[in-house]
Amino acid sequence: MTTGRRVAAFLRRRSIDFGELWRQSLQFRVTISTLALSSAVVFVLGMVLQNQITDRLIETKKAAAIAQTRAILDDAESELSGIDAAPDELKSRLGNALKKLASAPAGQDPTSASAGAFEPVLASADPSKSSEATVFAGPFEKVTPRLRQFVEGEQFSEQIHTAGVESARTTYLMIGAPITGAPRPLQLYLLFPLTAEQNTVLTVQNTLMVGGLVLLFLLVLITNLVTRQVVHPVRRAAAAAERFAEGELDQRLGVLGEDDLAKLAESYNEMAASIQRQIRQLEEFGQLQRRFTSDVSHELRTPLTTVRMAADVLHASREQFPPGLARSTELLVDELDRFEALLGDLLEISRLDAGVEELSAELIDARPIVLRVVEQVRVIAGDANSELEVDLPETPVEAELDSRRVERILRNLLANAVDHSEGQPVRVRLAANEHALAVTVQDFGVGLRTGEAGLVFNRFWRADPSRNRRTGGTGLGLAISHEDAKLHGGELEAWGEPDRGACFRLTLPLRQGEKWESSPLDLPPDVPPGGFIGIEPDEPAGEVSVTPDLVAAEREEAR
């Protein structure tokens, strides 16, 4: 049983390997298909040729045997004419006649010698009497009863039959003819061995088999070589396309000849050159765009600082102004705050695009960062009538993090959730496993439509531009958060459904450079309603200083 299972497992593995090779290799499929079809053709052709050769040999043998039988029949009739003796004397006469027939030349028929050697049989059998009264000379027992029946019925008959013992069986062409001109019924049988014809057929079979195998081998070799001429350039083209897709834009194919494959290589090279030019144009345009954004942002800082100083002076003296002018001063300061935050985000995006940002990671507990961000957003959440619900582990969640960037990510996510919560609670959850930690921010507001989860991290994208926003965002917060997560080696994902809310999941490795496979928290979230406990304003937020004003925090960070 164990051996059977091993054989079955071996065959199963081989079948799996064969299936994979069949799916992956065009050359293998063409070669195997050609081998199978060629084998069928060679088999059918071999069978037809063997049958044709066998039939021709038998027909030639039969024609010669019949001619020889007729010639010997004449000699037998002249030898046994008028014989009518007792059984003992008859047997002696038949034996003498048989010796003369076996030793005498074949007669005057020139075709008689072509039938080859034979074994003659003479018999005297009367169909009206029992078989025990039959007198014969020669190997009469080799003659079949069926042939005897026809010959005794005065018919010239023939039959192919195999006679003899198991160790020495011989196939004969048996020709039987009645002998006329005698007072009693006499029969002549000539048994022609077909050994030579069988040897010829066996030689033909071996020749066809060897020739078929050689032909199949040559066909497979030719097919493999021909297919290789087609498949090899295709493989080179596929390898070149893969390297091109990996960033080797200078990868090109060699053009040999003027055939279809050469035209394919030329077309590929032209396409690759065109794509390379367009990619380089886009890279140059992107560099110019980033440089323009960075330069403009830097250049605007100086006049913005001057305007900020003037606006602060006006804002400090607003109580001395008429009501309309005082309100304009407040609006001016608010818009300057937004403008300053936008400039800070533009500068941050420019640094991220340029790849000059560095991660200042240190081993810290992630829980105080979450609590600090919750306290920063609490004022805005109170204005929106949204309760902040937090679920934190009881034990520290230590990880190598850049606290400033993680805090910015969570602040953007919380502010965005409060803005879209429609007065519903906003839930924050922190969890960790062996390799990563995760923070989810979930709201139960308007949610996201199908396809918008992949767009929320685009720059300046908004799910509903017509909505009134409370946080006054710049449209770059989620884009920057996404880049900050990637800078940590983590991932920021979004999920949402219309009227069911949205959930953002931040997953970060516990150690920088360490790979993680799964996030500690599920997305979509599986937390039932009321599953968290809200944190009251008077609860401590850890040993971290709290800034309750979100706008002031953003302005301080932008500076």
Side-chain angles (χ1 to χ4, degrees):
M1 184 63 68
T2 303
T3 304
R5 285 197 297 266
R6 289 179 180 176
V7 172
F10 175 79
L11 295 177
R12 186 163 53 252
R13 289 194 301 268
R14 296 288 78 81
S15 62
I16 293 174
D17 295 340
F18 180 85
E20 292 180 354
L21 186 60
W22 178 269
R23 291 191 301 270
Q24 297 174 0
S25 176
L26 174 62
Q27 185 175 358
F28 181 75
R29 288 202 304 272
V30 173
T31 303
I32 295 299
S33 300
T34 303
L35 177 61
L37 295 176
S38 302
S39 299
V41 172
V42 169
F43 177 77
V44 173
L45 182 61
M47 293 298 295
V48 171
L49 289 176
Q50 178 182 336
N51 291 335
Q52 291 290 331
I53 293 173
T54 303
D55 292 342
R56 292 300 300 271
L57 287 173
I58 296 299
E59 290 176 0
T60 303
K61 182 74 171 183
K62 188 181 297 184
I66 292 174
Q68 189 169 354
T69 301
R70 293 187 184 278
I72 294 178
L73 182 60
D74 295 338
D75 295 339
E77 289 178 351
S78 63
E79 184 70 25
L80 299 174
S81 61
I83 185 174
D84 186 12
D88 294 338
E89 184 181 355
L90 178 61
K91 186 174 181 63
S92 177
R93 292 284 303 273
L94 292 178
N96 294 331
L98 186 66
K99 292 179 180 179
K100 292 180 180 180
L101 294 178
S103 60
Q108 291 78 18
D109 192 348
T111 63
S112 61
S114 63
F118 60 89
E119 298 179 19
V121 178
L122 290 174
S124 174
D126 189 351
S128 62
K129 299 180 180 180
S130 63
S131 59
E132 296 179 356
T134 303
V135 180
F136 61 87
F140 184 70
E141 69 279 358
K142 295 182 180 180
V143 181
T144 63
R146 184 67 174 172
L147 182 60
R148 298 175 193 173
Q149 180 181 358
F150 281 96
V151 177
E152 291 172 1
E154 302 294 328
Q155 296 183 24
F156 192 97
S157 303
E158 63 187 48
Q159 186 182 17
I160 296 178
H161 179 68
T162 302
V165 296
E166 292 294 334
S167 58
R169 296 178 64 85
T170 304
T171 302
Y172 294 95
L173 172 60
M174 301 180 180
I175 307 295
I179 300 176
T180 60
R184 61 185 303 155
L186 296 174
Q187 297 87 32
L188 171 66
Y189 302 96
L190 297 183
L191 281 58
F192 295 90
L194 297 178
T195 305
E197 286 72 18
Q198 288 179 325
N199 293 334
T200 302
V201 172
L202 183 60
T203 302
V204 170
Q205 288 178 345
N206 294 334
T207 303
L208 290 177
M209 183 178 297
V210 174
L213 293 177
V214 173
L215 179 61
L216 288 178
F217 176 76
L218 293 177
L219 285 175
V220 170
L221 182 61
I222 293 172
T223 303
N224 190 47
L225 293 176
V226 173
T227 308
R228 182 180 177 83
Q229 292 180 354
V230 178
V231 173
H232 188 63
V234 174
R235 288 177 178 173
R236 286 193 286 109
E242 290 178 358
R243 290 192 293 270
F244 188 87
E246 292 174 355
E248 299 181 18
L249 302 182
D250 295 329
Q251 187 66 37
R252 296 294 184 272
L253 291 176
V255 180
L256 300 176
E258 300 179 356
D259 54 8
D260 295 334
L261 294 176
K263 294 179 181 178
L264 174 63
E266 292 178 355
S267 300
Y268 171 83
N269 292 339
E270 293 176 359
M271 178 192 68
S274 176
I275 294 176
Q276 184 180 16
R277 288 194 300 269
Q278 295 180 20
I279 291 176
R280 287 179 176 175
Q281 290 176 358
L282 291 175
E283 290 178 348
E284 293 175 357
F285 176 75
Q287 292 177 358
L288 291 175
Q289 187 180 29
R290 290 191 294 269
R291 186 180 305 168
F292 173 78
T293 302
S294 178
D295 293 344
V296 170
S297 301
H298 280 92
E299 291 299 327
L300 287 177
R301 293 305 294 262
T302 300
L304 178 62
T305 302
T306 304
V307 175
R308 161 66 66 183
M309 294 174 60
D312 289 342
V313 172
L314 293 175
H315 188 267
S317 305
R318 66 184 183 279
E319 297 180 356
Q320 303 176 9
F321 299 152
L325 185 57
R327 178 56 180 166
S328 299
T329 303
E330 293 175 355
L331 293 176
L332 176 62
V333 172
D334 292 340
E335 294 303 317
L336 281 175
D337 290 337
R338 292 190 59 189
F339 189 30
E340 195 169 6
L342 176 60
L343 280 180
D345 288 345
L346 288 175
L347 287 173
E348 186 70 19
I349 284 289
S350 299
R351 288 192 292 267
L352 289 171
D353 289 340
V356 298
E357 285 285 16
E358 295 182 358
L359 193 69
S360 300
E362 56 182 345
L363 186 62
I364 57 176
D365 185 5
R367 296 180 302 167
I369 299 178
V370 177
L371 292 175
R372 182 168 62 221
V373 173
V374 169
E375 291 302 323
Q376 291 175 0
V377 184
R378 188 172 299 282
V379 176
I380 300 175
D383 294 339
N385 296 322
S386 295
E387 182 182 2
L388 299 180
E389 301 177 355
V390 183
D391 180 21
L392 300 179
E394 296 181 358
T395 58
V397 180
E398 294 185 347
E400 294 181 359
L401 306 174
D402 188 333
S403 59
R404 180 181 67 88
R405 296 183 185 277
V406 174
E407 183 176 342
R408 179 168 61 191
I409 295 173
L410 297 180
R411 186 168 61 245
N412 283 326
L413 295 181
L414 269 174
N416 185 72
V418 168
D419 192 66
H420 294 83
S421 64
E422 302 293 333
Q424 299 294 323
V426 175
R427 295 175 174 175
V428 183
R429 187 180 181 187
L430 171 65
N433 58 19
E434 296 180 355
H435 303 286
L437 66 85
V439 181
T440 57
V441 178
Q442 181 181 5
D443 67 79
F444 301 90
V446 295
L448 296 173
R449 292 186 291 269
T450 303
E452 290 184 346
L455 301 175
V456 293
F457 302 112
N458 292 347
R459 300 174 185 181
F460 301 106
W461 185 88
R462 290 183 180 178
D464 188 0
S466 63
R467 295 182 68 257
N468 293 325
R469 297 178 56 87
R470 297 180 179 86
T471 59
T474 63
L476 295 173
L478 291 179
I480 295 176
S481 299
H482 191 262
E483 295 296 329
D484 283 339
K486 291 171 58 178
L487 195 61
H488 276 84
E491 188 176 13
L492 181 59
E493 304 167 276
W495 167 87
E497 291 185 2
D499 300 325
R500 291 190 58 187
C503 182
F504 289 79
R505 181 178 69 182
L506 173 65
T507 307
L508 302 175
L510 296 181
R511 299 293 182 269
Q512 289 301 310
E514 185 179 86
K515 294 184 179 180
W516 55 275
E517 296 181 356
S518 60
S519 179
L521 297 176
D522 294 330
L523 191 71
D526 56 356
V527 179
F532 294 162
I533 300 176
I535 294 181
E536 298 299 331
D538 56 352
E539 292 186 7
E543 301 178 357
V544 184
S545 60
V546 176
T547 304
D549 189 359
L550 174 64
V551 177
E554 291 181 345
R555 183 174 62 202
E556 182 65 25
E557 183 178 335
R559 288 178 177 176

